[in-house]
């Protein structure tokens, strides 16, 4: 099968192809999923890109090991992968409780200008700092919903809670973030309200 044909294939179809011995399917699926997992892990780990890369690699390895036994239709691959990533990040955070997770490495590329880059970095840092103040389950729910674009039912599956509990967690998390960032609008380049 040509790589172009893989581009239109579903995640589940690609995983099945890989499970049946087709390494090209893994290449396409990695290109599709790894950046999302990396971004999510980075947010959960306080911006630590090196640890997020390790988590991403481990999560993807677990997916490849699961491929031959994957049961189609039981779970979305992205939901399964976010669950694994959440668990891996939680384990790492528990191990490093005494480590300062506020030391966030600033991204250096992909910025339109130096000033815009600094503003975006300040905003990202402020958001990450505010996210870090949330209780763990609120942080996970808010990150999945508003930063990763997961639906409430997907988040409920990942966290193994009800959709109503997800709604409550995200509402409380958003309120806490708004309060934490309320006095910083001008400083972050949004002007005054």
């Amino acid at each position: 099968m040509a790589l172009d044909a893989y581009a239109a294939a579903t995640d589940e179809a690609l995983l099945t192809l890989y499970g049946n011995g087709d390494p090209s399917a893994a290449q396409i699926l990695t290109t599709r999923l790894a950046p999302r997992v990396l971004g999510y892990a980075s947010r959960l780990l306080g911006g630590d890109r090196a640890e997020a890369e390790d988590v991403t690699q481990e999560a993807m390895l677990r997916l490849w090991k699961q491929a031959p036994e994957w049961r189609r239709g039981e779970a979305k691959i992205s939901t399964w992968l976010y669950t694994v990533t959440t668990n891996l990040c939680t384990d790492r955070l528990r191990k490093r409780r005494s480590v300062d997770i506020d030391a966030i490495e600033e991204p250096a590329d992909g910025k339109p200008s130096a000033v815009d880059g600094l503003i975006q970095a300040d905003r990202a840092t402020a958001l990450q700092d505010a996210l870090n103040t949330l209780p763990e389950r609120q942080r996970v729910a808010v990150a999945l919903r508003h930063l990763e674009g997961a639906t409430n039912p997907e988040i409920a599956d990942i966290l193994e809670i009800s959709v109503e509990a997800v709604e409550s967690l995200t509402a409380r998390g958003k309120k806490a973030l708004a309060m934490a960032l309320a006095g910083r609008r001008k400083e972050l380049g949004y002007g005054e309200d």
Side-chain angles (χ1 to χ4, degrees), residues 144 151-164 166:
L144 282 169
T151 65
N152 287 347
E154 289 172 333
I155 298 167
D157 287 344
I158 291 167
L159 294 177
E160 298 176 347
I161 59 176
S162 68
V163 171
E164 292 79 15
V166 170

Side-chain angles (χ1 to χ4, degrees), residues 107-157:
D109 56 20
K111 305 297 181 197
S113 73
V115 171
D116 289 341
L118 290 173
I119 290 171
Q120 290 303 319
D122 285 347
R123 290 175 180 172
T125 299
L127 177 60
Q128 186 64 57
D129 289 346
L131 276 170
N132 289 344
T133 66
L134 296 179
E136 183 177 332
R137 289 173 70 81
Q138 281 183 18
R139 182 175 62 247
V140 169
V142 168
L144 282 169
R145 181 72 183 109
H146 296 289
L147 301 174
E148 297 301 322
T151 65
N152 287 347
E154 289 172 333
I155 298 167
D157 287 344

Side-chain angles (χ1 to χ4, degrees), residues 42-48 96 100-106 120-136 138-139 142 147 173 176-182 184 187-188:
S42 182
R43 279 186 275 285
L44 292 186
L45 293 169
D48 186 332
R96 69 174 191 182
D100 179 18
I101 62 173
D102 292 327
I104 299 173
E105 184 178 310
E106 300 294 335
Q120 290 303 319
D122 285 347
R123 290 175 180 172
T125 299
L127 177 60
Q128 186 64 57
D129 289 346
L131 276 170
N132 289 344
T133 66
L134 296 179
E136 183 177 332
Q138 281 183 18
R139 182 175 62 247
V142 168
L147 301 174
L177 286 175
M179 289 174 53
L181 297 171
R184 301 188 63 191
E187 169 193 346
L188 296 172

Side-chain angles (χ1 to χ4, degrees), residues 80-91:
W80 184 91
L81 204 50
Y82 279 130
T83 301
V84 169
T85 303
T86 300
N87 292 338
L88 289 169
C89 289
T90 298
D91 290 347

